[in-house]
Amino acid sequence: MDKIAEFIVKWRNKIGFLFIIMIVISVLLIPMVRINYDLSEYVPDTEKAKQGLNIVKEEFGMQSFARVMLNYVTLVQAKEIKDQIASIDGVDMVVWLDDSVDINRPQEFISEELLNDYYKDGSALFEVMFEEDEYSSKTNKAVGEIQRIVPENSNVIGSAVDTKSSQDTLANQITKIMVILVPVVIIILMLTTNSYLSSLLFMAVIGTSILLNMGTNIMFKHVSFVTYSIVAALQLAVSMDYSVFLLHEFEAEDKTDILKAMTKALSTSIVSISSSALTTVAGFVALAFMDFTIGKDMGLVFAKGIVFSLLSVILFMPCLILKFYPMIEKSSHKSFLPNFDKFSKLMSRISYLLIAIVLLIAIPSYVAQNQNEFLYGSASFGGGEGTKVYEDEKAIVEKFGRSNPVIILVPNGDYVSEKAMGEEIENLKVVKTVQSFTNSVPEGIPDSFVPIDSYQKLRTEKYSRFIIYLKTGSETELAFDSVSELENIAKKYYGDDYEITGVIPITMDIKEVVNSDYNTVNRLSIVAVMIILLFTFKSVALPILLTLVIELGIFINMAIPYFTGHSMMFIGYLIVSSIQLGATIDYAILLTNNYLEARKTKVKREASRIAVNKSLPSIITSGGILVVAAFLIKWCSSITAVSQIGELIGRGALISIILVVFFLPHVLVVFDKVIEFTDFNHIKDRTEKRHKKLAQKRDELRKKRKGIKWVTKTMRKHNIKKISNEKKK
């Protein structure tokens, strides 16, 4: 490490210039990174609903849906606005009451059930289908045009609306998060470090790594909007302690020669910083092994960000410190953090009480976190409470209930089977309406007589399409059972020669995939972190103990939604488990290192007290930044999934900090003998002693054997001599 440190210090100016060039390139590349809002993109192509979706894209083009509710309108006024919406470029069709009955007839002659589906209490509801998917610019413009045409008191919802809302607000929300977070982080650093300028240097270094990470995302086909929303804030929060650690090492050195001081600080800290970064990277890389590939998307982007943070701290930060060292000295001040000696003594006195409390919480938390109610699909990606999207959704559902389209594709040509299947589906109570070729075109009309535009909406050379609107949400048992019933009906008429897709079937696929992903991600992240800890501490017991403490924090974090009765997004559960383990294990490593150092000269209780006292400033700095960043994501994001991930990370980090500070020191004391017994050096010493004892025993045996041989040989000679004398006589 000495040679690496010497190289960095020697070539610091050229390294700094190289980083500046990379920053400029990254800033130019960031606008070119494609942001993906399509959750189905991450479902494996082997899943049936995804296969159906691909066929729909090839045969009919990928379409999207929206629901529009007009308030305080007559049937005639609603019809006029419907025609305006239908004429918008990008709108494929608008389904409403007038498709089934003559709206000029008195309402008394219209079926009450049909009327309640489309017109109720002066409100009209349209089901809108767009020509392209919700992620196209054409659909985006069409949604904007609909919102412009309809009266201000109208409500517009659907996947296309959610996507437009997310696209419109995402950049603003990221900016808002960073505008609040950066000053807060600077204040935290100023309060917990010994120089005002060093706080700005920290931000410059981590800011550099964030820009490099965001710019190099150009290497991917696209980045999910969930990843894009939170990566900058979390990268800042998770990797800030690398900078703090290097500066602390530098400040501890003799500054007579600042170049030598930096070389020594780098040489001392590279291994520790790298170990800390690797545990975090391991947690993120584990996500890349998910079959639901949004995990790969997030895992690789986050892991790459941590690597850039590590490189920026090791390579770029020494350049800045040495360049601005005189100014750092001038802006130095005393740390505003108090002495934690009294606190650490108190913790030592109530150790057994704290252990008992944690163990009492542990068992119900472990059980409860397995009982959570999860959301698997796009239901959790809409606008959160208080947003226009949320209020519109609430208003439409309260008046007309829910509606979710499901698409079934069947082979083209069997008119009788199509007609019979369509009628059977229409008779299901959960079905609101069915759009198909057989119920849109009178029987006996040749295909050639049907307008080409109408024909292409529901038929191709290979397939006929059924668009079925279900009166359910997208993630309920009724929705899943209804799709299963539709599949059974399709099998009845076509065997396995059909395709089914839509939000609900895709959600069912996601549920099936991610349920198997959890064990994979959890085991991989735990094993990877434990292997790194094994080489870091050269101990068998410590990796197990430290991982168990953080895993306990994860159990408690994930049990809270169950006890509070809230459903949670499953992808959030997977992601946060890895992030909480990878990011907060650093606090446990720091405290354990300080304990082992103090244990060389102190008894175990005194060593734990010293470890707490010495570790708290760094844990408060790093952990405080992570908690603040995560909760800012929660408070600033109107996207439910992003907000929930922020809440889970912030709460998880806080729980991990509490366990590391209050619980881990006593775990180290209780298992002190086990830690000593399983230490590699101790094992090596014991092995060497055992070998010495065995060698001594072998030597003693050899001596005994030699003695026995000598006695035997002497006795044999004596006997031979005695026998020969007797013979002579």
Side-chain angles (χ1 to χ4, degrees):
M1 290 304 162
D2 290 343
K3 290 184 178 180
I4 294 174
E6 288 172 3
F7 176 85
I8 293 169
V9 172
K10 181 180 178 181
W11 299 98
R12 61 190 181 279
N13 291 329
K14 291 185 178 180
I15 291 172
F17 183 68
L18 179 62
F19 266 86
I20 291 171
I21 293 173
M22 291 192 297
I23 290 169
V24 173
I25 295 172
S26 295
V27 169
L28 295 175
L29 290 176
I30 289 172
M32 302 179 193
V33 177
R34 183 179 167 228
I35 311 301
N36 180 43
Y37 297 83
D38 185 1
L39 200 62
S40 66
E41 183 87 16
Y42 303 105
V43 179
D45 288 332
T46 53
E47 297 298 316
K48 185 170 178 58
K50 181 64 178 292
Q51 291 173 349
L53 187 66
N54 291 336
I55 293 173
V56 170
K57 287 180 180 178
E58 292 172 7
E59 296 291 323
F60 297 93
M62 191 54 221
Q63 296 172 306
S64 51
F65 301 85
R67 304 177 82 193
V68 179
M69 184 172 77
L70 308 178
N71 296 303
Y72 313 113
V73 292
T74 64
L75 289 173
V76 174
Q77 289 171 332
K79 167 66 174 170
E80 290 174 356
I81 295 176
K82 178 205 169 182
D83 292 340
Q84 291 180 50
I85 293 174
S87 66
I88 294 173
D89 184 32
V91 173
D92 188 15
M93 67 170 72
V94 182
V95 178
W96 188 55
L97 187 65
D98 66 326
D99 296 321
S100 303
V101 297
D102 181 2
I103 62 167
N104 294 313
R105 297 169 60 190
Q107 292 187 25
E108 292 77 12
F109 293 95
I110 301 174
S111 163
E112 186 177 347
E113 183 178 356
L114 186 62
L115 198 62
N116 287 336
D117 283 341
Y118 292 107
Y119 188 78
K120 185 189 295 184
D121 301 329
S123 296
L125 180 69
F126 306 143
E127 302 283 358
V128 182
M129 180 187 292
F130 298 96
E131 293 176 356
E132 299 179 2
D133 64 30
E134 55 262 48
Y135 312 105
S136 76
S137 58
K138 191 174 184 180
T139 301
N140 194 295
K141 290 177 182 177
V143 171
E145 191 65 18
I146 290 172
Q147 291 171 334
R148 187 188 66 79
I149 288 174
V150 300
E152 287 186 9
N153 61 357
S154 302
N155 308 103
V156 186
I157 64 171
S159 58
V161 183
D162 290 341
T163 301
K164 184 178 186 302
S165 175
S166 297
Q167 290 174 343
D168 291 344
T169 61
L170 187 60
N172 291 334
Q173 289 182 358
I174 293 172
T175 303
K176 183 179 177 182
I177 290 168
M178 297 307 292
V179 164
I180 299 173
L181 179 60
V182 169
V184 171
V185 170
I186 290 173
I187 291 170
I188 292 173
L189 290 170
M190 284 181 175
L191 293 174
T192 55
T193 59
N194 296 322
S195 171
Y196 295 112
L197 181 62
S198 60
S199 306
L200 300 178
L201 293 183
F202 291 160
M203 295 304 301
V205 172
I206 302 303
T208 296
S209 67
I210 291 171
L211 292 174
L212 295 178
N213 189 35
M214 295 181 74
T216 53
N217 285 334
I218 195 74
M219 70 174 67
F220 302 123
K221 178 183 175 183
H222 49 62
V223 174
S224 78
F225 77 97
V226 180
T227 305
Y228 189 74
S229 299
I230 63 179
V231 65
L234 288 186
Q235 186 180 340
L236 169 65
V238 170
S239 55
M240 183 59 73
D241 53 340
Y242 310 155
S243 303
V244 175
F245 189 83
L246 176 59
L247 186 64
H248 284 173
E249 287 293 329
F250 177 69
E251 288 175 346
E253 299 296 332
D254 180 10
K255 306 298 189 307
T256 306
D257 186 333
I258 61 168
L259 295 182
K260 286 184 178 179
M262 178 54 73
T263 303
K264 192 173 180 182
L266 267 174
S267 179
T268 305
S269 59
I270 284 176
V271 174
S272 300
I273 295 172
S274 300
S275 298
S276 181
L278 283 174
T279 56
T280 308
V281 168
F284 291 140
V285 169
L287 295 171
F289 292 89
M290 289 173 59
D291 288 329
F292 185 40
T293 54
I294 195 171
K296 181 179 180 181
D297 178 279
M298 298 192 77
L300 294 182
V301 172
F302 277 118
K304 177 164 64 69
I306 298 302
V307 171
F308 274 122
S309 293
L310 175 65
L311 293 175
S312 296
V313 169
I314 291 175
L315 298 174
F316 190 44
M317 189 171 175
C319 308
L320 295 178
I321 291 176
L322 293 173
K323 186 75 174 176
F324 296 100
Y325 179 70
M327 296 174 66
I328 293 173
E329 283 285 282
K330 289 179 181 178
S331 65
S332 62
H333 62 83
K334 291 183 179 180
S335 175
F336 295 101
L337 289 176
N339 187 291
F340 294 101
D341 192 53
K342 291 182 179 179
F343 174 82
S344 59
K345 286 179 180 178
L346 176 63
M347 290 303 98
S348 181
R349 288 173 187 169
I350 59 173
S351 58
Y352 291 109
L353 175 62
L354 292 172
I355 291 173
I357 291 171
V358 172
L359 293 178
L360 282 172
I361 296 172
I363 296 173
S365 294
Y366 177 76
V367 174
Q369 57 101 26
N370 285 317
Q371 307 298 320
N372 275 306
E373 181 181 339
F374 295 107
L375 295 173
Y376 296 88
S378 58
S380 59
F381 285 82
E385 190 170 349
T387 62
K388 181 72 165 62
V389 171
Y390 179 88
E391 297 303 326
D392 285 354
E393 172 88 17
K394 186 178 177 182
I396 292 178
V397 170
E398 283 180 356
K399 184 157 285 191
F400 288 99
R402 297 188 180 277
S403 177
N404 266 294
V406 174
I407 296 173
I408 297 180
L409 301 181
V410 298
N412 188 10
D414 190 346
Y415 185 91
V416 175
S417 295
E418 282 185 42
K419 184 76 172 175
M421 188 179 90
E423 289 176 351
E424 187 169 346
I425 290 173
E426 283 179 332
N427 290 329
L428 295 176
K429 289 183 178 180
V430 76
V431 173
K432 179 180 178 181
T433 186
V434 177
Q435 291 286 315
S436 68
F437 189 84
T438 54
N439 69 5
S440 300
V441 179
E443 188 174 355
I445 300 295
D447 288 0
S448 59
F449 280 58
V450 180
I452 189 66
D453 186 51
S454 300
Y455 186 92
Q456 290 176 342
K457 290 177 181 178
L458 297 168
R459 262 194 181 171
T460 64
E461 290 183 6
K462 293 182 180 179
Y463 295 98
S464 282
R465 175 168 65 164
F466 289 78
I467 304 170
I468 303 145
Y469 290 89
L470 299 180
K471 302 174 184 178
T472 71
S474 60
E475 297 196 42
T476 63
E477 286 303 316
L478 177 60
F480 297 156
D481 292 341
S482 299
V483 169
S484 298
E485 193 169 4
L486 291 176
E487 287 183 311
N488 291 333
I489 293 173
K491 283 180 182 178
K492 176 181 174 181
Y493 292 95
Y494 293 94
D496 291 328
D497 196 12
Y498 74 94
E499 302 292 342
I500 187 167
T501 191
V503 173
I504 301 172
I506 288 288
T507 300
M508 293 169 72
D509 281 354
I510 292 173
K511 181 177 180 180
E512 183 180 344
V513 171
V514 297
N515 277 337
S516 63
D517 277 338
Y518 173 69
N519 290 330
T520 302
V521 171
N522 204 32
R523 288 168 185 167
L524 279 174
S525 58
I526 289 173
V527 170
V529 168
M530 288 181 69
I531 289 172
I532 294 168
L533 293 178
L534 189 70
F535 286 100
T536 300
F537 288 108
K538 295 181 172 58
S539 166
V540 176
L542 282 175
I544 298 171
L545 294 175
L546 269 58
T547 305
L548 280 176
V549 169
I550 303 301
E551 281 294 311
L552 176 57
I554 294 171
F555 296 154
I556 296 171
N557 186 24
M558 297 306 173
I560 290 174
Y562 172 78
F563 289 122
T564 57
H566 291 107
S567 58
M568 62 188 296
M569 183 188 168
F570 199 94
I571 187 66
Y573 185 27
L574 285 174
I575 292 167
V576 172
S577 295
S578 294
I579 291 176
Q580 188 174 341
L581 175 62
T584 62
I585 195 74
D586 294 350
Y587 313 147
I589 292 172
L590 174 65
L591 190 138
T592 303
N593 272 327
N594 288 330
Y595 174 81
L596 295 176
E597 186 65 29
R599 190 68 180 88
K600 293 176 182 178
T601 56
K602 304 290 182 181
V603 296
K604 55 187 181 181
R605 282 190 174 276
E606 180 66 13
S608 72
R609 189 189 64 76
I610 293 171
V612 170
N613 198 20
K614 192 175 179 182
S615 306
L616 262 176
S618 296
I619 293 175
I620 288 173
T621 303
S622 179
I625 292 171
L626 179 55
V627 171
V628 169
F631 278 109
L632 273 176
I633 292 171
K634 168 184 165 51
W635 294 322
C636 293
S637 180
S638 61
I639 301 169
T640 306
V642 175
S643 177
Q644 190 179 91
I645 289 173
E647 179 182 3
L648 288 170
I649 293 172
R651 188 173 64 214
L654 190 59
I655 292 169
S656 292
I657 290 169
I658 292 170
L659 287 175
V660 168
V661 173
F662 289 87
F663 181 59
L664 179 58
H666 312 307
V667 171
L668 296 174
V669 170
V670 170
F671 290 93
D672 184 81
K673 288 292 182 185
V674 177
I675 294 168
E676 182 185 358
F677 191 76
T678 58
D679 182 83
F680 284 5
N681 292 327
H682 191 73
I683 293 171
K684 183 180 178 182
D685 291 341
R686 291 204 314 271
T687 304
E688 289 177 353
K689 288 179 181 178
R690 192 179 297 115
H691 287 162
K692 285 181 181 179
K693 286 182 179 179
L694 288 172
Q696 288 175 355
K697 286 182 179 179
R698 284 196 294 269
D699 291 341
E700 289 174 359
L701 284 172
R702 287 194 190 101
K703 289 179 181 178
K704 286 181 180 179
R705 286 172 183 169
K706 286 181 181 179
I708 292 169
K709 285 180 180 179
W710 181 82
V711 170
T712 304
K713 187 176 180 180
T714 303
M715 290 181 67
R716 189 181 292 118
K717 286 181 179 180
H718 176 74
N719 290 335
I720 292 170
K721 188 175 181 181
K722 185 178 179 181
I723 291 169
S724 69
N725 290 335
E726 287 178 353
K727 284 182 178 180
K728 286 179 181 179
K729 289 179 180 180

